Amino acid sequence: MRIAIYAFDDVTMFHLAAPLMVFGEVQRLGLAADWETTLWSDSPGSIRTSEGYVLGDVAGPDVTTTADIVIVPSWHTSLPRLGDTVGHAVREAHSRGAVIVGLCLGAFAVADAGLLEGRSVVTHWAALADLAERSDGSTVDPSVLYIDHGDVVTSAGTVSSIDACLHLVRKHLGTAAATRVARQLVIAPHREGGQAQYIERPLGEPAADTTIADVQEWILGHLDEELTIDRLADHARMSRRSFVRHFARSTGATPARWVLERRLDESRRLLETTDWSIDAVASACGFGSPVTFRQRFAVSFSTTPSEYRRHFTSRDRAHLPA
């Protein structure tokens, strides 16, 4: 997997570091020996970050001709139009099958390259209106962390770019690999692309957030059980209505949706790392029946549990956690 990350004068160190950190950890942990990241710019040489650091040995656009993934990790805060050199490199890479990723304001570059017409797109919440004006024929979605169209990925701002990069690791190497990368970086292993990119929380309610976090931890230890909203509310010592409201405020999701996503996460881990039967996986993850499990899995991942297992168990799993 060859990953080319666009670097430009005044880019922030954080935006460059997000993909470098996530994809670099894949190789450092030995999860895939052939994942390589390269910084490139309009011309080979060096760039100066917004913090004043000079990064040398930056490649030119030619590296995109062999890249499997081309990432624009951010964009100039003045939001200028995409230049011819970078635009040509991005479009050519896309035309030969590379995945194009616009993280945070990098979505503007992807839109300027003409790759988002008729598609949904997301960027940092503060620039959503600008992107809506800029990207004719696209639908700007303000409610998500990232959107993956298969050949084009965009993400919301800042930390959401890490979520999008972890999503790509999960997509290519499986849930167990992405979880190990996240654990090594001490970040949440999985925030769904459909989760709200920012949640306004009123001040003065820290106890509620702590309670919800405790409930989430408890859920992860009881995924094989029936987890009704009433049972979760009782565990939180809240009324049903209050619990649902606090849970949505803290997570951006309903309790039922959050539980389902965690059940599916665990099912993928078990499919990747065990030889359990589909029935046993369904039971361990709290699905009422194998039929329900297969239906939920197919809707979420567009494949069957058996096909998913075949795909990921064809890899060397020696380094993945059991």
Side-chain angles (χ1 to χ4, degrees), residues 136-148:
D136 256 355
S138 302
T139 302
V140 177
D141 189 342
S143 65
V144 297
L145 295 178
Y146 55 84
I147 300 172
D148 183 359

Side-chain angles (χ1 to χ4, degrees), residues 2-322:
R2 296 176 296 274
I3 304 166
I5 303 169
Y6 179 61
F8 54 90
D9 285 330
D10 281 337
V11 67
T12 68
M13 289 291 291
F14 178 89
H15 288 110
L16 277 182
L20 286 170
M21 179 176 63
V22 173
F23 299 130
E25 204 63 34
V26 167
Q27 190 168 25
R28 286 188 288 273
L29 290 173
L31 300 174
D34 54 352
W35 280 47
E36 300 176 355
T37 56
T38 303
L39 292 182
W40 66 283
S41 194
D42 302 65
S43 58
S46 63
I47 62 104
R48 181 182 293 273
T49 70
S50 65
E51 296 85 359
Y53 301 114
V54 175
L55 302 181
D57 295 327
V58 176
D62 58 301
V63 300
T64 64
T65 62
T66 57
D68 301 296
I69 300 176
V70 175
I71 298 178
V72 183
S74 185
W75 197 238
H76 308 273
T77 54
S78 60
L79 304 180
R81 289 282 177 175
L82 182 66
D84 292 340
T85 300
V86 178
H88 176 75
V90 169
R91 283 187 290 270
E92 284 294 306
H94 179 263
S95 68
R96 62 169 182 76
V99 175
I100 308 301
V101 181
L103 302 176
C104 194
L105 296 182
F108 282 82
V110 179
D112 286 351
L115 304 182
L116 292 172
E117 187 172 352
R119 298 179 170 189
S120 54
V121 57
V122 65
T123 189
H124 190 285
W125 63 267
L128 289 168
D130 292 315
L131 185 59
E133 289 183 10
R134 181 90 147 244
S135 53
D136 256 355
S138 302
T139 302
V140 177
D141 189 342
S143 65
V144 297
L145 295 178
Y146 55 84
I147 300 172
D148 183 359
H149 292 289
D151 59 329
V152 176
V153 178
T154 56
S155 85
T158 321
V159 179
S160 300
S161 61
I162 297 178
D163 293 310
C165 291
L166 276 174
H167 163 72
L168 290 171
V169 173
R170 186 179 306 106
K171 183 176 179 179
H172 291 283
L173 297 178
T175 298
T179 298
R180 185 156 182 211
V181 170
R183 184 184 299 123
Q184 188 72 14
L185 300 177
V186 197
I187 54 180
H190 193 185
R191 294 201 298 167
E192 289 286 346
Q195 182 173 330
Q197 68 165 292
Y198 69 98
I199 306 161
E200 294 183 358
R201 298 189 178 110
L203 299 176
E205 296 183 332
D209 289 344
T210 301
T211 300
I212 296 303
D214 290 342
V215 171
Q216 289 176 306
E217 184 176 356
W218 182 83
I219 288 171
L220 296 178
H222 296 79
L223 288 174
D224 59 331
E225 302 174 15
E226 185 177 5
L227 299 173
T228 64
I229 292 178
D230 287 335
R231 187 180 181 192
L232 299 180
D234 287 343
H235 187 79
R237 300 181 186 276
M238 293 182 183
S239 69
R240 177 189 174 100
R241 183 175 180 180
S242 179
F243 172 72
V244 170
R245 184 176 68 253
H246 281 291
F247 195 95
R249 184 179 297 154
S250 296
T251 68
T254 66
R257 182 64 198 175
W258 196 88
V259 169
L260 174 60
E261 289 168 355
R262 301 295 75 75
R263 292 192 197 279
L264 290 169
D265 279 348
E266 179 64 3
S267 74
R268 288 193 290 178
R269 188 188 73 82
L270 292 175
L271 289 169
E272 293 171 25
T273 61
T274 75
D275 295 321
W276 293 5
S277 69
I278 300 302
D279 288 13
V281 172
S283 177
C285 297
F287 291 97
S289 71
V291 173
T292 300
F293 171 47
R294 288 186 174 92
Q295 290 173 340
R296 294 287 194 178
F297 199 94
V299 168
S300 295
F301 308 122
S302 300
T303 190
T304 66
S306 297
E307 284 297 322
Y308 183 90
R309 167 173 275 167
R310 273 192 286 272
H311 176 72
F312 285 107
T313 55
S314 65
R315 302 176 183 277
D316 178 10
R317 296 185 302 176
H319 296 290
L320 301 184

